[in-house]
Amino acid sequence: MNWSGLPPLNSLRAFVAVAETGSYIKAGAVLNVTHAAVGQQVRTLEERLSVSLVVREGRGIRLTKEGMALARDLESGFSIIHRGVENLMESSVTHPVQLSTSPAFATEWLMPRIQDFQSKYPDIPLMLNPTSKVVELKPGGIEIAIRYQDKRKVTSPVTPVLISDMVVIAAPSLIGGQEINHPATLTGLPWLQELGTNEVTDWFSHRGVKLDRPLMISQMPGNLIMQAVRRGDGVTYTARAFFEAEIQSGEMKVLFSEPAFGIYYIVTSPGPLRASVKVFLNWLKEQSSIDSSSTLDS
Amino acid sequence: MNWSGLPPLNSLRAFVAVAETGSYIKAGAVLNVTHAAVGQQVRTLEERLSVSLVVREGRGIRLTKEGMALARDLESGFSIIHRGVENLMESSVTHPVQLSTSPAFATEWLMPRIQDFQSKYPDIPLMLNPTSKVVELKPGGIEIAIRYQDKRKVTSPVTPVLISDMVVIAAPSLIGGQEINHPATLTGLPWLQELGTNEVTDWFSHRGVKLDRPLMISQMPGNLIMQAVRRGDGVTYTARAFFEAEIQSGEMKVLFSEPAFGIYYIVTSPGPLRASVKVFLNWLKEQSSIDSSSTLDS
DNA sequence: TCTTATTTGTAAGAATATCTTTCATATGAA
DNA sequence: TTCATATGAAAGATATTCTTACAAATAAGA
């Protein structure tokens, strides 16, 4: 394309608006400018092309023969451009919001709330990718991820979704009558740990326990851990928020707790976010603040 | 057309240039701006559309899927616009220059010179409209007229083509041995006058002659008058320049003369002038100045 | 591995384009 | 004529767009 041959695009647009409306004032209204601005643009175009496009007629205007021919071409060109942009927006709207979280967070925090989102925004489809892997956020791929870090590791300011006590938790049936006074007491119990992580050994070292024999650790996806722990199959280290109800009711027992230690925060892909992604983000923050306030209430 | 839905046209153009060249630097070169300007425009577009169109890849860039789709549509839209503008310019170039002069001026001044124009600019066709009527200059119609006024009536500054003595002139054969001392002497001769004008009676009243009986006036187109006067069919009032050669050679005789009294000047249609019209105008002025200088020489 | 050349990314201020305001001019209708 | 309506023109205000200057990332070559 030889761009140097084209007159200023804004003047072409102004001229098309004049051709469509048949009036500078109406064209100005369509373009959200004054009649004078439209007139200047058209004059610029005429001078640039050295052709009269619009002539005054009585108290209105009329297009010249050349003006009509040009307007016809420009209209079809602009309408193709317009359609191209609209296609893009269209596909962008119906394209699902691509979200990645850990399996545990997905089942314990997100799933119970997701119905609320879908009832509020039935037109925005969601695509959830529950994985403990840290997936790369890039345009065209995952757009939002909710990541976990303990508070010691958070350096730059982040947007948290959930700040929770981190607890070592088990079903009372597993513990039985045992006295649990010290972390070291737990080395003999069966542990459940998220696939591909080292949460459990990290916790022991954080608590200063030196492991002299190997732990019994079953690795599995986070959502399965939650079920298994509830069944009494083992102990795990997780966010208190995921078991709040069971803790209250006594169905689950907290063995150790680190206050406000775990932070689930939002990460978004670089570049501009689609409108539907922004809507989801706002909803996420809203849910998060409801959480916090209800926590304050209790 | 709903213009409010369209992103800034300049940002669309920048994006197309990037899509075509595959690089900000090259796109900048094509658009005669810096790479930074292009980058800013593309970013503006992405933000406006809330879609990533271009992603960085290594030390270059790559279009996203959406970017490619949009670029395709935009390119076709812009190329239609481009073609529309080119069609217009094309037709504007080949369209003949529309010129109106009086028949006398056309035959006596313009025709002898027109060959020079056509040899210099063979691609610019001329359409000559020789008429004594004052035709309206309007876009799409006559673009240049050469008009006559005597110097008393010229008020606003004009662009003259020819400033000439105005003479009452006749062939020696018509006069014979008669002594012509006073304008009144001429009332008995046959006069030739441009159709639709009053030059002759105007001249008599200008010279203070009260006409007590009707003049013998034959009305005819200016070019025929010139021939008829040369044949000796009558007297006429015209520009000396039209008969310069015959006066020098004694073939025609000047009876009365008013120095630098007649002014032929250029009028152009309102609005912008086409390139070919401007070329013709420049040629006209050039011819005019050659005239003046040769007059000064003599 | 370290440098170098190349390209994109960012931000501040300069340059340019665009718009509004105001008044003037032209025209058709009452 | 006078009024209502529309375009035209010019000056100053506003907004956009661009350049400059530097930073960051990366691939190729020493």
Side-chain angles (χ1 to χ4, degrees):
Chain A
M1 179 82 58
N2 174 18
W3 296 106
S4 63
L6 267 191
L9 296 175
N10 291 337
S11 69
L12 292 175
R13 171 170 54 190
F15 172 66
V16 172
V18 168
E20 283 178 340
T21 60
S23 139
Y24 283 5
I25 291 186
K26 286 179 194 159
V30 167
L31 298 172
N32 281 315
V33 293
T34 59
H35 76 91
V38 175
Q40 287 172 47
Q41 292 283 17
V42 171
R43 192 145 17 96
T44 303
L45 179 61
E46 288 184 321
E47 273 158 21
R48 168 62 189 274
L49 298 176
S50 300
V51 173
S52 275
L53 301 169
V54 177
V55 287
R56 186 156 185 172
E57 188 173 69
R59 113 182 124 164
I61 55 170
R62 186 172 54 79
L63 296 195
T64 62
K65 191 158 52 58
E66 292 80 12
M68 286 180 186
L70 181 62
R72 202 164 17 82
D73 290 344
L74 295 184
E75 276 180 57
S76 64
F78 277 120
S79 78
I80 285 177
I81 288 173
H82 195 255
R83 194 163 45 73
V85 171
E86 287 207 322
N87 286 344
L88 186 71
M89 302 308 284
E90 183 67 23
S91 70
S92 153
V93 164
T94 57
H95 186 63
V97 173
Q98 306 280 317
L99 170 68
S100 175
T101 76
S102 68
F105 187 86
T107 53
E108 300 300 326
W109 193 92
L110 189 61
M111 295 306 281
R113 290 167 174 77
I114 206 73
Q115 208 173 38
D116 177 70
F117 178 78
Q118 289 178 338
S119 68
K120 279 180 181 158
Y121 308 100
D123 295 336
I124 302 184
L126 273 179
M127 188 85 93
L128 180 60
N129 170 247
T131 175
S132 51
K133 294 204 185 81
V134 174
V135 297
E136 190 194 355
L137 299 181
K138 61 184 171 187
I142 298 292
E143 298 169 290
I144 307 181
I146 296 171
R147 300 247 157 96
Y148 171 80
Q149 272 193 334
D150 70 52
K151 71 177 179 191
R152 296 168 304 172
K153 290 174 186 157
V154 172
T155 52
S156 53
V158 296
T159 309
V161 177
L162 171 62
I163 301 179
S164 174
D165 300 355
M166 290 305 284
V167 295
V168 173
I169 195 166
S173 62
L174 183 72
I175 308 298
Q178 275 187 267
E179 276 295 305
I180 312 285
N181 313 320
H182 191 270
T185 329
L186 298 171
T187 54
L189 291 173
W191 282 83
L192 304 172
Q193 180 180 257
E194 176 81 43
L195 275 170
T197 69
N198 272 316
E199 293 165 345
V200 175
T201 49
D202 285 354
W203 182 78
F204 276 111
S205 66
H206 175 223
R207 285 298 182 121
V209 176
K210 184 152 171 285
L211 298 168
D212 44 5
R213 49 177 180 152
L215 290 163
M216 291 180 294
I217 301 181
S218 305
Q219 305 253 344
M220 61 183 75
N223 51 329
L224 298 184
I225 291 176
M226 301 299 140
Q227 293 175 31
V229 168
R230 287 191 174 91
R231 272 202 311 270
D233 292 352
V235 187
T236 199
Y237 176 68
T238 190
R240 179 184 169 111
F242 297 165
F243 287 91
E244 198 56 52
E246 288 95 335
I247 293 167
Q248 298 290 336
S249 70
E251 290 167 75
M252 295 298 292
K253 189 164 181 188
V254 172
L255 307 179
F256 294 93
S257 183
E258 286 144 2
F261 190 71
I263 298 175
Y264 287 88
Y265 61 97
I266 300 171
V267 184
T268 59
S269 67
L273 296 172
R274 293 185 297 130
S276 48
V277 173
K278 287 179 190 158
V279 169
F280 182 76
L281 276 178
N282 285 335
W283 176 83
L284 258 189
K285 289 169 193 164
E286 196 182 290
Q287 294 299 310
S288 167
S289 69
I290 291 171
D291 266 22
S292 323
S293 61
S294 70
T295 302
L296 290 177
D297 289 350
S298 70
Chain B
M1 180 81 60
N2 174 20
W3 297 106
S4 63
L6 267 190
L9 295 175
N10 291 337
S11 69
L12 293 175
R13 171 170 54 191
F15 172 65
V16 172
V18 169
E20 282 177 341
T21 61
S23 138
Y24 282 3
I25 290 187
K26 287 179 193 160
V30 167
L31 297 173
N32 281 316
V33 293
T34 58
H35 74 91
V38 175
Q40 287 172 44
Q41 291 283 17
V42 171
R43 190 143 24 93
T44 303
L45 179 61
E46 289 184 321
E47 273 159 20
R48 168 61 190 275
L49 298 175
S50 302
V51 173
S52 275
L53 301 168
V54 177
V55 288
R56 186 156 185 173
E57 188 173 66
R59 97 182 139 172
I61 55 171
R62 185 173 55 79
L63 296 195
T64 62
K65 191 159 51 61
E66 292 81 9
M68 287 180 183
L70 181 63
R72 202 162 17 81
D73 290 344
L74 295 184
E75 275 180 59
S76 64
F78 277 119
S79 78
I80 285 178
I81 288 173
H82 195 256
R83 195 163 44 74
V85 171
E86 288 207 322
N87 286 345
L88 185 71
M89 301 307 285
E90 184 66 23
S91 70
S92 154
V93 164
T94 57
H95 185 62
V97 173
Q98 307 280 317
L99 169 68
S100 175
T101 75
S102 70
F105 186 88
T107 54
E108 300 300 327
W109 194 93
L110 190 60
M111 295 305 282
R113 290 166 173 80
I114 207 76
Q115 208 173 37
D116 177 71
F117 178 79
Q118 289 178 340
S119 69
K120 281 181 180 157
Y121 308 100
D123 295 336
I124 302 184
L126 275 178
M127 189 83 93
L128 179 61
N129 171 248
T131 175
S132 52
K133 293 202 185 82
V134 174
V135 298
E136 189 195 356
L137 299 181
K138 60 183 173 189
I142 299 293
E143 299 168 289
I144 308 181
I146 296 170
R147 299 249 158 95
Y148 172 81
Q149 271 194 335
D150 70 52
K151 71 175 178 191
R152 298 168 303 173
K153 290 175 185 156
V154 172
T155 52
S156 51
V158 297
T159 310
V161 178
L162 172 63
I163 300 178
S164 174
D165 299 355
M166 292 302 287
V167 294
V168 174
I169 197 167
S173 62
L174 183 72
I175 308 299
Q178 275 188 266
E179 277 290 309
I180 312 285
N181 312 320
H182 191 271
T185 330
L186 297 172
T187 54
L189 292 172
W191 281 82
L192 303 172
Q193 178 179 259
E194 177 79 45
L195 275 169
T197 70
N198 273 316
E199 293 165 346
V200 177
T201 49
D202 285 355
W203 181 78
F204 276 111
S205 65
H206 175 222
R207 285 296 184 120
V209 175
K210 186 156 170 279
L211 297 168
D212 43 7
R213 49 178 180 151
L215 292 164
M216 290 179 297
I217 301 180
S218 303
Q219 306 253 343
M220 59 184 76
N223 51 330
L224 299 183
I225 290 175
M226 301 298 140
Q227 293 175 29
V229 167
R230 288 191 173 90
R231 274 201 309 271
D233 293 351
V235 187
T236 197
Y237 176 70
T238 190
R240 177 183 171 113
F242 297 165
F243 288 90
E244 199 56 51
E246 289 96 334
I247 293 168
Q248 298 288 338
S249 69
E251 289 168 75
M252 295 297 293
K253 188 166 183 186
V254 172
L255 307 180
F256 294 93
S257 182
E258 287 143 2
F261 189 73
I263 299 173
Y264 288 87
Y265 62 96
I266 300 171
V267 185
T268 59
S269 67
L273 296 172
R274 293 185 297 130
S276 49
V277 172
K278 287 178 189 158
V279 169
F280 182 76
L281 276 177
N282 285 335
W283 175 84
L284 259 188
K285 288 169 194 165
E286 195 183 292
Q287 294 300 311
S288 167
S289 69
I290 291 170
D291 265 23
S292 323
S293 61
S294 69
T295 302
L296 289 176
D297 290 352
S298 69

